[in-house]
């Protein structure tokens, strides 16, 4: 009898998701239905509550390390890996969607692509989008990674990466995990020096895009900073 009630609850929750999506689900219900696929014969509602209690929010659960997740009662390695897989899969999905019909000579397209690249990243990271002179993406490389509040932007590593992939033009991107998508004075000075350096090597810096909380700021699109770049976007 208990087994039947348990199976009935899982089916009702799945049917509710198929009808309504996840928008009206409580955070623990989102985890509960996800955990169905890692824990086939156990009450995942209780484990979901434990996870929310331990980390404070749904997003914090997904951002937690595998080691911290497995410290929660009922969460084994398979369950922790499934939880960590979700933001990683979402990141790849957003990246793939952004690349459909991608036009590198568009600040919006570059911004959306970089937002997808930084989805779920909890430390500051610097990315370099390398392109040929027709705007085709050759590679998107991580050139530096720091802490939650700072990262070193190395012009040497950026130049080495651009040359390695034979890029004619590049877009620099970095994130502010705990801030807003706006450049600091240091960001402006670094961008100006990098643009000059790349220009001397006949590589164009199209933009420096800063991402925070799912939003982006394009320095090339901002009149205040547009003169830093060789040419505006088409």
């Amino acid at each position: 009898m208990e087994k039947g009630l348990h199976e009935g609850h899982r089916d009702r929750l799945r049917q509710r998701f198929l009808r309504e999506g996840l928008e009206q689900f409580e955070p623990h219900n989102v985890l509960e239905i996800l955990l169905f696929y890692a824990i086939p014969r156990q009450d995942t509602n209780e484990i979901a509550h434990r996870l929310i209690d331990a980390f404070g929010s749904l997003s914090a659960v997904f951002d937690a390390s595998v080691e911290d997740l497995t410290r929660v009662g009922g969460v084994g390695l398979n369950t922790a890996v499934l939880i960590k897989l979700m933001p990683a899969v979402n990141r790849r999905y957003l990246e793939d969607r952004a690349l459909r019909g991608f036009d590198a000579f568009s600040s919006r397209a570059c911004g959306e692509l970089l937002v997808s690249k930084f989805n779920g990243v909890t430390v500051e990271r610097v990315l370099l989008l390398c392109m040929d002179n027709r705007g085709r993406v050759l590679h998107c490389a991580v050139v530096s990674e720091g802490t939650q509040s700072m990262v070193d932007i190395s012009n040497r590593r950026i130049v080495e990466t651009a040359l390695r992939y034979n890029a004619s033009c590049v877009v620099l991107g970095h994130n502010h995990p705990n801030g807003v998508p706006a450049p600091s004075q240091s960001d402006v000075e670094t961008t100006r020096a990098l643009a000059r350096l790349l220009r001397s090597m006949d590589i164009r810096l199209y933009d420096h895009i800063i991402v925070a909380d799912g939003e982006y700021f394009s320095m090339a699109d901002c009149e205040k900073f547009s003169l830093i770049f060789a040419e505006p976007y088409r």
Side-chain angles (χ1 to χ4, degrees):
M1 181 67 175
E2 184 178 344
K3 181 181 178 183
L5 288 172
H6 183 61
E7 290 175 350
H9 171 70
R10 289 189 171 210
D11 186 58
R12 286 191 295 274
L13 207 57
R14 277 191 289 257
Q15 290 303 318
R16 181 184 167 197
F17 163 68
L18 292 174
R19 288 194 312 270
E20 305 172 6
L22 291 176
E23 285 75 15
Q24 302 303 316
F25 274 49
E26 294 293 329
H28 70 273
N29 291 138
V30 174
L31 288 173
E32 180 184 7
I33 193 170
L34 174 64
L35 298 183
F36 288 173
Y37 302 96
I39 307 171
R41 285 179 289 275
Q42 215 176 322
D43 182 5
T44 60
N45 183 278
E46 184 178 345
I47 298 171
H49 274 291
R50 284 190 209 133
L51 284 163
I52 297 294
D53 290 343
F55 298 105
S57 69
L58 182 62
S59 60
V61 171
F62 288 119
D63 288 340
S65 68
V66 168
E67 292 75 18
D68 287 341
L69 288 167
T70 54
R71 292 190 184 103
V72 175
V75 177
L77 180 59
N78 283 347
T79 302
V81 169
L82 178 64
I83 291 170
K84 294 302 295 179
L85 190 60
M86 291 301 101
V89 168
N90 187 49
R91 190 156 51 242
R92 288 297 300 270
Y93 162 74
L94 292 173
E95 175 188 338
D96 186 75
R97 189 175 67 176
L99 280 171
R100 277 187 256 156
F102 183 76
D103 176 9
F105 298 112
S106 157
S107 59
R108 178 177 177 180
C110 288
E112 290 177 353
L113 176 59
L114 288 171
V115 165
S116 71
K117 288 283 189 182
F118 287 116
N119 180 51
V121 177
T122 57
V123 296
E124 287 206 18
R125 180 179 289 176
V126 181
L127 297 178
L128 191 70
L129 192 61
C130 300
M131 300 166 290
D132 64 17
N133 56 12
R134 296 174 61 185
R136 293 179 299 193
V137 177
L138 303 172
H139 191 70
C140 187
V142 177
V143 293
S144 187
E145 189 161 285
T147 66
Q148 289 185 339
S149 58
M150 64 176 294
V151 67
D152 176 47
I153 299 179
S154 168
N155 285 358
R156 178 179 176 179
R157 291 186 65 183
I158 289 169
V159 169
E160 288 175 348
T161 302
L163 292 174
R164 184 183 308 129
Y165 293 101
N166 198 29
S168 299
C169 49
V170 297
V171 171
L172 186 67
H174 85 278
N175 61 326
H176 291 167
N178 298 319
V180 295
S184 65
Q185 186 57 39
S186 175
D187 292 336
V188 174
E189 292 169 1
T190 298
T191 305
R192 184 177 286 113
L194 179 61
R196 289 171 180 164
L197 178 60
L198 290 170
R199 199 174 301 135
S200 72
M201 299 178 173
D202 201 27
I203 300 171
R204 180 179 172 188
L205 178 63
Y206 270 105
D207 206 345
H208 182 174
I209 290 175
I210 300 165
V211 174
D213 197 25
E215 299 181 348
Y216 70 88
F217 179 92
S218 163
M219 289 183 65
D221 270 0
C222 179
E223 185 177 354
K224 182 178 178 181
F225 306 119
S226 60
L227 291 179
I228 293 174
F229 304 91
E231 300 172 32
Y233 278 111
R234 292 187 305 196

